[in-house]
Amino acid sequence: MIVADSISKSFGARRVLSAATLRAPSHKVTGLLGRMGSGKSTLLKICAGLIAPDAGWVEINSSRFHRTRHSLLARKGLFYLADTDNLAWTLSVRDHFSELHRIFDLRVDDEIVTELNIGHLLDRGVSSLSGGETRKVEIAIAMARRPSVLLCDEPFRGADPILCELLGSMFRRLSVDGTAVVVTGHEVNQLMPFLDSVVWITSGTTYHLGTPEAARSHPAFRRDYLGLGEKKASA
Amino acid sequence: MSDLVGLLRLRMARAYPLRALGIWLLLRLFIAYGTGAVEPLSFELLAIFVAVISLVTWIDMRRRREMLILGNLGVAWQLPIVLACLTCVFLEIALRVVT
């Protein structure tokens, strides 16, 4: 489980987050949704220890941190997938799995390799992979890590519907195994079926809206994020 | 497991001292070309060497997109830079002993 509480962050004079909270329990997929520039990625990076918050704390598996760093949280079971640059360009796909094995003594399941159809990519360099192949390899590495918390920034961006379905099913599988999964994104129709709960981030703060169905029926969320008018909401 | 233990277990970590060696050789050749001699560095020049190697290693790590994977493997991205700097200092000490 990961909890981020009372998080505030400013960049210069611009306040991005003020008293934002994120609570993502184990065995659940939590969607962090909000408009562009609302602070989703910043909150995720703070949770991952990549950015220090001005105020607030992050708790992962009952350890609380006011200031921490990514590597320390990673050793505690967190895995962070940014929207780009998650893999080292000079290494092959197999090298990534080998490094994971050397550090955490974990191997990727053959079943995952087959399901994600990345067997033929293992000896290829990361720089030669397409966007979709890169995404599949990233999620395979995340699954091989068996993290207690997975933070995923816009995993569906640029992905075709079949890949979205595949990635979503992998998130579901991780959550069944006990991982607290947090995903962000704007592909609401693709994301919603895989989510257990929705957190809406707007005006620098967060609102826990509950299930996707509850979120869809929340008037302010419908109006200000989904862009559905009041007439449609009442229809 | 600390960051350092993690770094030493990684195969990709072997590249950092080698890259630092390359940068150090280039800097040394540049100085030798200018002065015409291989002399021990002053403290100020050594500090500049360390700063240049830190900067080049950081740029190289960004170019190779190694920061995030290192973090996810439990290794702070600053550590390879420290490793590169230590390599440079070690080489300078070795050169001083030899000459």
Side-chain angles (χ1 to χ4, degrees), chain B residues 16-68:
Chain B
Y16 299 116
L18 289 175
R19 288 180 211 161
L21 171 68
I23 302 163
W24 178 82
L25 273 174
L26 278 176
L27 289 171
R28 263 298 178 181
L29 282 171
F30 181 71
I31 288 180
Y33 181 75
T35 60
V38 180
E39 293 168 350
L41 293 180
S42 64
F43 181 77
E44 290 80 8
L45 212 49
L46 181 62
I48 292 171
F49 257 52
V50 167
V52 169
I53 284 178
S54 300
L55 182 67
V56 173
T57 305
W58 179 76
I59 291 169
D60 201 34
M61 284 172 68
R62 280 188 70 89
R63 191 179 63 84
R64 293 168 191 263
R65 294 153 168 86
E66 292 173 342
M67 307 278 207
L68 266 180

Side-chain angles (χ1 to χ4, degrees), chain A residues 88-93 95-96 99 124-127, chain B residues 12 66 69:
Chain A
W89 268 38
T90 48
L91 298 183
S92 70
V93 173
D95 288 339
H96 283 83
E99 298 290 35
R124 277 180 50 189
V126 166
S127 57
Chain B
M12 64 193 282
E66 292 173 342
I69 191 69

Side-chain angles (χ1 to χ4, degrees), chain A residues 41-158:
Chain A
S41 296
T42 303
L43 183 56
L44 228 53
K45 282 179 181 170
I46 288 171
C47 290
L50 288 161
I51 296 178
D54 296 335
W57 48 263
V58 176
E59 190 176 286
I60 174 169
N61 301 334
S62 307
S63 302
R64 186 173 292 190
F65 304 94
H66 290 275
R67 290 180 84 85
T68 184
R69 56 179 206 275
H70 182 206
S71 57
L72 181 67
L73 295 180
R75 291 202 296 273
K76 290 197 169 286
L78 179 138
F79 200 92
Y80 172 70
L81 279 180
D83 50 348
T84 55
D85 299 345
N86 292 295
L87 305 174
W89 268 38
T90 48
L91 298 183
S92 70
V93 173
R94 196 185 296 279
D95 288 339
H96 283 83
F97 289 119
S98 302
E99 298 290 35
L100 196 67
H101 176 62
R102 276 188 203 99
I103 297 281
F104 299 114
D105 200 20
L106 294 167
R107 288 185 190 279
V108 64
D109 291 339
D110 290 341
E111 194 187 337
I112 300 291
V113 172
T114 309
E115 232 171 284
L116 286 166
N117 192 23
I118 57 167
H120 63 293
L121 306 175
L122 289 175
D123 292 313
R124 277 180 50 189
V126 166
S127 57
S128 70
L129 302 180
S130 70
E133 289 170 340
T134 304
R135 253 311 175 218
K136 285 199 268 187
V137 170
E138 287 169 354
I139 199 72
I141 291 170
M143 295 197 72
R145 173 66 183 92
R146 296 180 191 102
S148 55
V149 177
L150 173 65
L151 306 177
C152 228
D153 198 5
E154 304 209 19
F156 289 3
R157 191 164 75 177

